[in-house]
Amino acid sequence: MEKTDKTDPLSILVVNNMLITGFDAPVEQVLYLDRKIVAHDLLQAIARVNRTHGPKKCGYVVDYIGVARHLNEALQDYDGEDTEGALIDISVELPKLLDRRARAVAVFTDRGITDLQGQVDGCVDVLEDLKIRADFITKLRMFYDTLNMLEHRPEVPGDVFRDAKLLGFINKVAANLYRDPVLNLLGVAEKVKALINAHVSARGIDPKIPPTTITDAEFERVLAGQPSSRARAAQMQHAARYHIVGFSHQNPAYAQKMSDKLEEILQRFKDDWEALERELRQFIEKLRQGDRNEFPDLDPKVQVPFVRLILEECSKGRELNEAQRTAALSATLDMVERIRQEVRKVGFWKNNAMRELLTRSLVRDLDRAGVCPAGKERDLAQRLVALARENHEHLTRP
């Protein structure tokens, strides 16, 4: 064996014999010279090379002396089920790669897109539909999975890599616009992801930076960079939806109200882009202010979510008069204080008995206040406890 410098990341251990398993190798880079390996030793050597870890999904064997022929012979000693898929047949996998590429591209060409390179915006518009987005990312992932297996093979046409990069760019632009986590490339092989990210970066988008939110200081700059009222309206529409989803668990009643308001604006001004842009700017400004305008004297993160839930539930099927509304508000604030005291107890959320005790107390509070429709007290109390869990951090702050 040749001596190697363990501190040198480029050092290579040259082996003529032994070191089949690699357990005692001082470095990861091991090169075997002048060794014909057959049978069990051959399988062992390849298995060790092919061990996965972290971003390393497979190993590579450069076959200068035809060990693949010996590998086929060695595999004859094992059952077919054990060796199925051990070797990749390029004549089978290459057509599969081309077919999967064609299926991903067809998501757009079947809908009138004739030039993916020149019609990126049109492709992104196609992906506005949720079902089409889900279909596209599924086909794109399958394409990338096969490309990962074959990307080193000279038989792969260059236009496959071109389309892989272009589809990845379209996917990133759509992900930034629609703020849809479905469009992430989580699970895609690092080599393929690096290829896509390099192309995305070259076209002016940093793949590591998430989409700009409406509360970000850069949001106005993003809007200013859009070429038209329609493009600015699209950015605001999807940014607003993303923001609403962000607090939908902490304040579900308010989230539903603002979601309904957004849909109303989109329907009313759907054919007038300038008016839609103007209305969405006003709507986003309200979203930035948070849920504080209707209840200016209450804490928007501690009290208001519970007040909204109670008022929404108690007013179903009827209109609350001022006295009923005041009673519901007073009862809710008392219940919020009870909830704050209970959830501060150590291990509260892991203790079923403690949660059930709080639920029963809230049922009694609701019954005593007389503002909740009869028979709905326990269901509402359980929803209040669930809401408390989502808002635990706010409820337990000093």
Side-chain angles (χ1 to χ4, degrees), residues 7 44 87 99 135 143 168 175 215-216 234 250 308 313 316 340 383:
T7 64
Q44 285 279 27
L87 294 176
D99 177 67
D135 180 49
F143 171 38
T215 57
D216 196 308
Q250 288 76 31
R308 281 196 177 277
E313 203 56 37
K316 284 183 177 179
R340 294 187 71 181
R383 292 178 62 187

Side-chain angles (χ1 to χ4, degrees), residues 209-309:
I209 297 179
T212 307
T213 64
I214 65 172
T215 57
D216 196 308
E218 292 292 303
F219 186 70
E220 289 301 323
R221 184 184 63 79
V222 171
L223 291 181
Q226 302 303 313
S228 64
S229 290
R230 178 175 182 173
R232 288 188 290 274
Q235 281 286 343
M236 288 188 283
Q237 168 190 343
H238 297 293
R241 278 206 181 103
Y242 181 76
H243 183 76
I244 292 171
V245 169
F247 65 78
S248 60
H249 294 296
Q250 288 76 31
N251 195 345
Y254 181 60
Q256 186 61 54
K257 175 184 176 181
M258 298 308 284
S259 181
D260 292 343
K261 178 64 176 176
L262 175 59
E263 294 305 318
E264 178 189 339
I265 292 172
L266 295 175
Q267 288 299 317
R268 188 190 308 171
F269 300 100
K270 62 181 179 180
D271 297 322
D272 187 341
W273 298 112
E274 292 185 0
L276 180 58
E277 178 187 356
R278 183 179 62 251
E279 292 294 321
L280 285 174
R281 283 187 180 276
Q282 296 175 5
F283 178 75
I284 283 178
E285 187 56 39
K286 291 181 180 179
L287 279 178
R288 286 172 175 158
Q289 294 172 9
D291 192 9
R292 62 180 74 248
N293 294 328
E294 292 183 47
F295 307 95
D297 298 328
L298 302 182
D299 188 313
K301 293 184 177 181
V302 176
Q303 297 170 317
V304 172
F306 295 90
V307 169
R308 281 196 177 277
L309 179 60

Side-chain angles (χ1 to χ4, degrees), residues 253 294-295 298 304-316 318 320-321 324-330 332 371 380 384:
E294 292 183 47
F295 307 95
L298 302 182
V304 172
F306 295 90
V307 169
R308 281 196 177 277
L309 179 60
I310 293 290
L311 291 178
E312 178 189 71
E313 203 56 37
C314 293
S315 61
K316 284 183 177 179
R318 59 173 179 167
L320 295 180
N321 58 39
Q324 291 172 323
R325 186 180 175 86
T326 300
L329 179 59
S330 177
T332 303
V371 295
L380 182 52
L384 289 170

Side-chain angles (χ1 to χ4, degrees), residues 29-161:
Q29 297 89 346
V30 180
L31 179 64
Y32 289 85
L33 293 180
D34 300 327
R35 176 87 193 280
K36 180 181 178 181
I37 311 176
V38 297
H40 180 70
D41 285 349
L42 175 60
L43 293 179
Q44 285 279 27
I46 292 177
R48 295 309 185 268
V49 169
N50 210 38
R51 279 185 168 177
T52 61
H53 179 71
K56 178 179 179 288
K57 302 302 181 185
C58 63
Y60 294 99
V61 176
V62 181
D63 181 8
Y64 288 110
I65 61 172
V67 296
R69 294 195 304 272
H70 302 296
L71 178 59
N72 281 321
E73 294 174 4
L75 290 174
Q76 299 302 316
D77 295 334
Y78 294 83
D79 291 336
E81 293 182 0
D82 295 332
T83 61
E84 185 176 356
L87 294 176
I88 294 176
D89 187 343
I90 188 65
S91 66
V92 173
E93 295 301 326
L94 183 57
K96 185 186 298 183
L97 173 65
L98 298 178
D99 177 67
R100 289 181 172 182
R101 185 268 302 264
R103 288 172 182 268
V105 171
V107 171
F108 306 109
T109 56
D110 287 351
R111 293 174 173 84
I113 302 296
T114 57
D115 177 15
L116 269 64
Q117 179 76 36
Q119 296 177 273
V120 170
D121 290 342
C123 294
V124 173
D125 289 342
V126 167
L127 295 178
E128 184 174 7
D129 186 284
L130 287 172
K131 291 183 178 179
I132 296 177
R133 281 212 295 272
D135 180 49
F136 170 66
I137 194 62
T138 298
K139 291 176 178 176
L140 184 64
R141 286 177 181 278
M142 293 175 68
F143 171 38
Y144 284 165
D145 284 346
T146 312
L147 180 61
N148 177 55
M149 290 191 296
L150 303 180
E151 55 87 21
H152 63 290
R153 296 297 296 258
E155 297 92 340
V156 178
D159 60 355
V160 168
F161 294 96

Side-chain angles (χ1 to χ4, degrees), residues 356-373:
E356 176 60 22
L357 185 62
L358 174 60
T359 301
R360 292 180 180 180
S361 297
L362 295 176
V363 169
R364 289 193 294 269
D365 291 339
L366 290 168
D367 185 57
R368 192 160 38 245
V371 295
C372 180

